[in-house]
Amino acid sequence: MSFISQHPATAARPRGWSHSLAFILILASLILLLVASFIRHAHAETPPAPIPAGLVTLGDIESGTLLFNATEPGKYIPAPLLATDVKIDVSGPIARARVTQRFINPGDSWVEGKYIFPLPEDSAVDTLKMVIGGRVIEGQIKEKQEARRVYEEAKADGRKASLVEQQRPNVFTNSVANIGPGETIVVQIEYQQTARRDGDTFSLRFPMVVAPRYTPKPADPRFVDFTPGSGGWGDLQPQREDSLDEPPVLRPEMGKVNPVSLKVSLDAGFPLGDVESPHHEVTISRDGARKAAIALKEELVPANKDFELVWKPAAASAPTAALFRERVGNEDYLLVMLTPPSGETQIEAKPREAIFVIDNSGSMSGPSMDQAKESLLFALDRLNPGDKFNVIRFDDTLTVLFRDAVPAHGENLAVAKKFVKGLEANGGTEMLPALRAALADGNPGDTARLRQVVFLTDGAISNESELFREITSNLGRSRLFTVGIGSAPNSYFMNRASEAGRGTFTHIGNETQVVERMSELFEKLGSPVMTNIAAVWPDGRTTESWPNPVPDLYKGEPVVLSARMPEAKGMLTLRGDVAGEPWEVRLDAGKGDIRPGIGKLWARRKIEQLEADARIGGNWERNDSAILNVALEHHLVSRLTSLVAIDVTPTRPDDERLTAKDMPVNLPEGWDYDKVFGEQAVPPAQRAALQKSSAQYAAFLAAPASAEAAAGIALPQTATDAPALIHSGILALLLAAALTAIWWFQRHWQATAWARRSR
């Protein structure tokens, strides 16, 4: 037993001191936590320090900031920043998406930001909201020229305005005028789409970046000089109908911009099996057998590749028929999704004449080229001895491997495989000559073979209409199957090309998907599962349905029909031929599940059909009038209509100048910048400044959005106080440890002193 414990008086003093010290420690810890929390919130609510107005030098920049080159050497213009939050609700085959874009002006001058962004090619964009302080301004649908006029007037008057325009069915622009110094403007866009189905697999894609598009010169590519400045990647003014604004693309070493957060609420309508995202890491939370919540594992990811979600039913087979409807005004809208039976007796597969076209232009460099080559080598191995084939490769030049299609035997296949393995990506994307060569049929009367063109490309071109015309004019007996390669393919072109070519579209986003998806494609290449399909509606005179006529179907692909009728009643009959035998199914049109947005999807499908008819028939004036009427009636963004939101109160002073700049985007993941744009030197100081931009984005997103939330608009809360509280807790523990040490030494000293006195 120690000496101190034998003297109560000795023990009493340290114990009293410990009570006081414990109280002091607790009080100090609480004060420190409160101070740290207060500092944290004060810092979060303080906007980033404005950058000097007008042109700046690199020495003026104190935080990570995107800069545009100015005409004056050594001077730059601060660029507005952007962050995006995506929320997608999936109910059965229908998805409703809300895309929230937050624009911030880091400088102390007034700016107009223009952001070029992608959406799914079948999206029906119908809603625009702009948040200013505590107010929400609803966007209105107007004819495109009128919407632009109204926007320009508001911009000139100093009023805040937002304008959403369509450049392609999968490419949109959002212009936001009069963003004040250090100010944030929130713009929210909503759209409707359907999930894709292939066999028992359902999928949904959200594109995140518009890949650079190659603009061909309007001349024979064999006589074109592709030196910088003479044409090619965005340098040449394309034809009017193919005009496409392109944003500045940031070099990868400068850092990543445009962070995205994304969540999906999935209600499949049937017991769920596997749910996965092939290209992003995600967290998946199950809610019963039919529902799941999916979120990006990293809360924020750069917008540099498409997001894809894939889900399957738990049972061996998914539902074979689904009917959905919506009542809008005095009319009913129907969506029918029907998967035909595969049939125990399949049509005997005919020998094929397979023409493989592979894109080896500069945009395909890196992983995309590897995926394309692996896919083509896989396809060559799957040819049967009775088949014929040829291989065409293109960049800004063209090579047709054999003079004509050759038998698929060992020697010819060996030559083709060696040719494919030696391909390298470089040059421009002159796709039209390759398409013409592929569709050139030396034996148009040959009915003994199925002539199939398999086109492997990222579709990074701007002259889609020219290519569509070529397909519809010269398809003949060929069928066109497109294979989209890479992290951000031009899905609009790939889907429409396959539809016009009466084939199918397959996307391969990474090497792990090559075998699975090419195997599925080759099952479809054998022969159509169902032909001569017809839809007989209860009242054909008053029913308008799309597509019309219904195309042939391949294995696993459902019939997807949209229809409008005065009243959904009576029996819908679908007929076709399966394996040479008649097939029929009947559905009660009045018993479909109620789903919102079916009318929007019908309108979008009708616009697609009218666009296709115009490309084939050339009667743009008549079809444009119908497209405009449908888009205005259903409040949809289209080639001829735009959404515009205008504030009534001017905010920019008359003497303040407005700077307008396109907002930069990332290069798609896996792309080689120098292969696409050529080598361009970047000053080291500017590169270092740009690389810090992610920190500024994080600080921007962490700021609370209380004003917007109070206005009734759903916004992401992408940051919490956890990091600050953890830091505060650690500081409190360190302080407590220090005070405890002092107390222990003080107690030990007092005990020693009392012991000496007791002697």
Side-chain angles (χ1 to χ4, degrees):
M1 185 175 291
S2 68
F3 181 78
I4 297 175
S5 65
Q6 295 177 5
H7 298 272
T10 303
R13 292 180 181 270
R15 191 175 297 117
W17 166 251
S18 68
H19 289 169
S20 301
L21 183 60
F23 175 78
I24 294 172
L25 286 173
I26 294 172
L27 182 62
S29 299
L30 290 173
I31 292 173
L32 185 59
L33 283 170
L34 290 172
V35 171
S37 180
F38 173 78
I39 293 173
R40 161 73 174 85
H41 285 289
H43 175 72
E45 294 181 6
T46 302
I51 295 169
L55 301 181
V56 298
T57 66
L58 294 175
D60 297 325
I61 306 303
E62 298 179 355
S63 62
T65 304
L66 295 174
L67 304 174
F68 289 116
N69 288 323
T71 54
E72 186 177 344
K75 296 294 183 68
Y76 303 91
I77 300 172
L81 304 178
L82 172 81
T84 302
D85 174 75
V86 182
K87 181 68 172 66
I88 304 175
D89 294 317
V90 182
S91 177
I94 302 168
R96 180 73 181 177
R98 184 178 65 235
V99 180
T100 304
Q101 297 172 341
R102 299 174 68 185
F103 296 80
I104 186 171
N105 175 12
D108 66 354
S109 59
W110 291 77
V111 299
E112 175 193 22
K114 181 180 179 181
Y115 181 51
I116 300 176
F117 62 100
L119 288 177
E121 68 277 2
D122 61 343
S123 57
V125 181
D126 60 1
T127 300
L128 168 66
K129 297 176 182 177
M130 182 173 64
V131 182
I132 303 171
R135 295 178 296 118
V136 177
I137 300 173
E138 296 277 352
Q140 300 298 316
I141 194 74
K142 295 182 181 294
E143 193 170 353
K144 195 166 193 174
Q145 292 83 352
E146 173 65 10
R148 168 59 65 176
R149 184 190 66 78
V150 172
Y151 173 82
E152 293 293 341
E153 285 183 358
K155 182 174 73 173
D157 292 343
R159 291 176 287 156
K160 289 179 171 54
S162 177
L163 175 68
V164 175
E165 298 176 297
Q166 175 186 303
Q167 296 199 57
R168 296 287 191 276
N170 65 332
V171 179
F172 296 78
T173 61
N174 189 3
S175 301
V176 181
N178 294 309
I179 310 175
E183 190 175 29
T184 297
I185 299 295
V186 178
V187 176
Q188 195 169 85
I189 300 163
E190 296 182 19
Y191 68 84
Q192 199 96 353
Q193 71 168 136
T194 56
R196 176 183 173 89
R197 181 173 180 180
D198 194 341
D200 285 348
T201 300
F202 295 78
S203 62
L204 193 73
R205 289 167 55 82
F206 180 79
M208 290 191 181
V209 62
V210 176
R213 304 294 176 84
Y214 182 88
T215 301
K217 290 179 71 76
D220 190 326
R222 294 174 295 178
F223 306 103
V224 171
D225 177 15
F226 284 93
T227 55
S230 67
W233 292 96
D235 290 335
L236 185 75
Q237 289 296 327
Q239 300 177 17
R240 179 194 60 82
E241 61 181 308
D242 286 331
S243 61
L244 179 67
D245 292 339
E246 296 204 50
V249 180
L250 218 58
R251 292 187 67 100
E253 61 265 30
M254 291 183 181
K256 299 292 193 299
V257 295
N258 306 336
V260 177
S261 62
L262 184 145
K263 294 181 179 179
V264 180
S265 175
L266 174 61
D267 182 357
F270 51 77
L272 279 168
D274 294 335
V275 179
E276 63 175 354
S277 174
H279 314 307
H280 291 82
E281 292 188 7
V282 296
T283 60
I284 301 173
S285 302
R286 302 278 184 149
D287 181 10
R290 298 169 178 254
K291 299 181 180 180
I294 300 94
L296 293 170
K297 188 172 183 179
E298 295 183 21
E299 191 170 12
L300 297 173
V301 299
N304 64 346
K305 61 180 176 181
D306 292 357
F307 173 85
E308 183 179 17
L309 185 69
V310 179
W311 64 96
K312 297 181 179 180
S317 60
T320 58
L323 176 64
F324 305 93
R325 61 189 176 92
E326 179 189 31
R327 184 77 177 175
V328 180
N330 296 322
E331 293 179 305
D332 279 331
Y333 293 87
L334 275 69
L335 179 71
V336 181
M337 302 186 72
L338 182 69
T339 300
S342 59
E344 297 180 1
T345 304
Q346 296 294 322
I347 301 173
E348 183 179 355
K350 293 182 179 180
R352 65 172 63 93
E353 180 182 329
I355 310 299
F356 300 106
V357 186
I358 183 169
D359 178 355
N360 69 308
S361 62
S363 65
M364 293 284 290
S365 62
S368 293
M369 194 73 246
D370 295 337
Q371 294 161 25
K373 289 162 67 172
E374 185 179 351
S375 299
L376 181 45
L377 291 171
F378 179 89
L380 291 172
D381 283 335
R382 293 294 296 269
L383 291 173
N384 297 318
D387 295 339
K388 288 187 175 183
F389 79 101
N390 205 346
V391 177
I392 299 172
R393 68 107 217 135
F394 73 95
D395 44 33
D396 48 40
T397 61
L398 176 69
T399 300
V400 181
L401 183 58
F402 302 107
R403 184 180 297 273
D404 200 356
V406 297
H409 59 57
E411 182 179 350
N412 291 333
L413 289 173
V415 172
K417 290 178 182 178
K418 182 178 179 180
F419 175 75
V420 172
K421 290 177 181 178
L423 292 177
E424 295 182 359
N426 210 346
T429 312
E430 291 290 343
M431 191 178 293
L432 183 59
L435 181 61
R436 284 175 175 166
L439 295 179
D441 186 359
N443 302 290
D446 184 3
T447 59
R449 295 181 183 276
L450 296 171
R451 192 172 196 276
Q452 299 165 336
V453 177
V454 181
F455 217 105
L456 299 102
T457 178
D458 57 14
I461 42 85
S462 65
N463 62 326
E464 292 100 330
S465 292
E466 191 174 19
L467 294 162
F468 293 148
R469 285 196 298 270
E470 182 68 25
I471 295 169
T472 54
S473 300
N474 298 311
L475 183 66
R477 67 184 178 106
S478 301
R479 296 294 179 264
L480 179 61
F481 297 81
T482 57
V483 181
I485 300 292
S487 60
N490 182 359
S491 56
Y492 158 63
F493 168 72
M494 311 296 281
N495 264 309
R496 297 293 184 272
S498 64
E499 289 176 2
R502 300 179 67 183
T504 63
F505 166 59
T506 301
H507 175 230
I508 297 176
N510 56 52
E511 292 86 346
T512 63
Q513 297 178 320
V514 169
V515 173
E516 177 188 1
R517 298 199 173 177
M518 288 301 291
S519 296
E520 294 171 353
L521 173 59
F522 260 79
E523 288 187 36
K524 297 172 185 177
L525 289 175
S527 60
V529 171
M530 182 179 292
T531 58
N532 301 322
I533 303 172
V536 182
W537 297 93
D539 188 350
R541 294 172 301 175
T542 59
T543 300
E544 192 176 6
S545 66
W546 311 104
N548 188 15
V550 183
D552 292 345
L553 294 181
Y554 293 84
K555 183 177 180 179
E557 295 199 354
V559 180
V560 181
L561 297 176
S562 298
R564 178 174 69 174
M565 59 183 63
E567 185 178 0
K569 62 180 181 179
M571 301 301 294
L572 161 64
T573 303
L574 285 168
R575 297 192 180 105
D577 294 334
V578 176
E581 298 295 329
W583 173 89
E584 179 177 299
V585 68
R586 293 164 61 86
L587 298 173
D588 189 337
K591 292 187 177 180
D593 292 340
I594 303 297
R595 290 285 194 282
I598 303 296
K600 305 282 188 183
L601 295 174
W602 174 89
R604 185 66 182 177
R605 293 294 295 273
K606 180 173 182 178
I607 290 173
E608 291 173 8
Q609 185 75 46
L610 291 169
E611 296 274 6
D613 292 344
R615 285 195 298 269
I616 296 172
N619 193 336
W620 286 98
E621 290 186 7
R622 183 184 67 185
N623 286 308
D624 279 358
S625 176
I627 290 169
L628 179 61
N629 291 335
V630 173
L632 291 174
E633 178 186 356
H634 292 270
H635 207 260
L636 295 182
V637 177
S638 70
R639 181 172 53 84
L640 303 174
T641 53
S642 303
L643 279 168
V644 61
I646 305 294
D647 192 11
V648 296
T649 306
T651 55
R652 176 170 57 87
D654 293 337
D655 58 347
E656 289 285 350
R657 180 170 170 265
L658 184 67
T659 302
K661 283 292 181 180
D662 289 349
M663 304 186 70
V665 300
N666 299 309
L667 190 72
E669 184 178 79
W671 283 43
D672 186 325
Y673 191 96
D674 293 337
K675 290 281 189 178
V676 176
F677 297 104
E679 296 185 8
Q680 299 179 13
V682 180
Q686 183 185 6
R687 183 180 303 170
L690 288 168
Q691 286 175 332
K692 295 189 294 183
S693 63
S694 59
Q696 186 168 2
Y697 274 131
F700 161 51
L701 288 174
S706 56
E708 296 92 335
I713 188 169
L715 293 176
Q717 297 296 334
T718 57
T720 69
D721 292 332
L725 293 177
I726 291 172
H727 294 157
S728 301
I730 292 173
L731 289 174
L733 289 173
L734 290 174
L735 179 61
L739 292 175
T740 301
I742 294 171
W743 164 76
W744 187 87
F745 282 113
Q746 178 72 14
R747 181 176 182 275
H748 181 72
W749 178 82
Q750 287 181 341
T752 304
W754 278 90
R756 289 174 179 172
R757 292 174 187 173
S758 300
R759 291 194 184 106

